Amino acid sequence: MDIVVHEASADTAVLECSGRLNMVSAPVFRERVAEVVGGGRSHLAIELSGVDFMDSSGLGVLVGSLKTARQAGGDLRIAAPSDQVQMVLKLSNIDKILRTYPDGDAAVSDWL
């Protein structure tokens, strides 16, 4: 999995992800989120348009990342999920917990 971090403001970042979000890549994702939040950016938009596959480990790391962000006084939102990711979010009802936006700009617009 590739993760590119775009800093939107002093406390906001967009993490643009591509590849597979599964049990192999989930620890890498978790570490990257911890680095970004530890660096003072607790409002995170996770851009998932480039993620072609996500499994239950991916769901778990997203929920864990939401907890990390909220414990730091922020929040986490999903931006532009691919069709497969959107299906997994809906089937698991995680889309009720993690708000989904059409793109990274829309996800962070009311934080800026």
Side-chain angles (χ1 to χ4, degrees), residues 40-52:
R41 290 179 172 75
S42 60
H43 291 86
L44 307 176
I46 310 299
E47 156 83 59
L48 296 175
S49 62
V51 174
D52 53 13

Side-chain angles (χ1 to χ4, degrees), residues 11-111:
D11 69 345
T12 305
V14 177
L15 281 71
E16 186 178 347
C17 305
S18 61
R20 300 170 65 90
L21 185 50
N22 57 19
M23 66 183 263
V24 174
S25 61
V28 173
F29 183 86
R30 182 180 301 109
E31 287 177 27
R32 192 68 177 121
V33 166
E35 288 173 10
V36 171
V37 172
R41 290 179 172 75
S42 60
H43 291 86
L44 307 176
I46 310 299
E47 156 83 59
L48 296 175
S49 62
V51 174
D52 53 13
F53 178 80
M54 182 173 73
D55 64 8
S56 60
S57 297
L59 284 173
V61 77
L62 288 175
V63 172
S65 297
L66 172 64
K67 182 178 177 183
T68 299
R70 287 188 174 167
Q71 286 176 338
D75 199 9
L76 182 142
R77 298 174 178 173
I78 302 298
S82 65
D83 290 340
Q84 193 273 339
V85 170
Q86 185 68 42
M87 181 186 67
V88 171
L89 292 170
K90 284 185 179 191
L91 288 173
S92 62
N93 284 324
I94 297 295
D95 62 333
K96 307 287 191 260
I97 298 168
L98 296 171
R99 294 183 62 188
T100 303
Y101 293 81
D103 56 47
D105 290 339
V108 301
S109 65
D110 61 335
W111 286 334

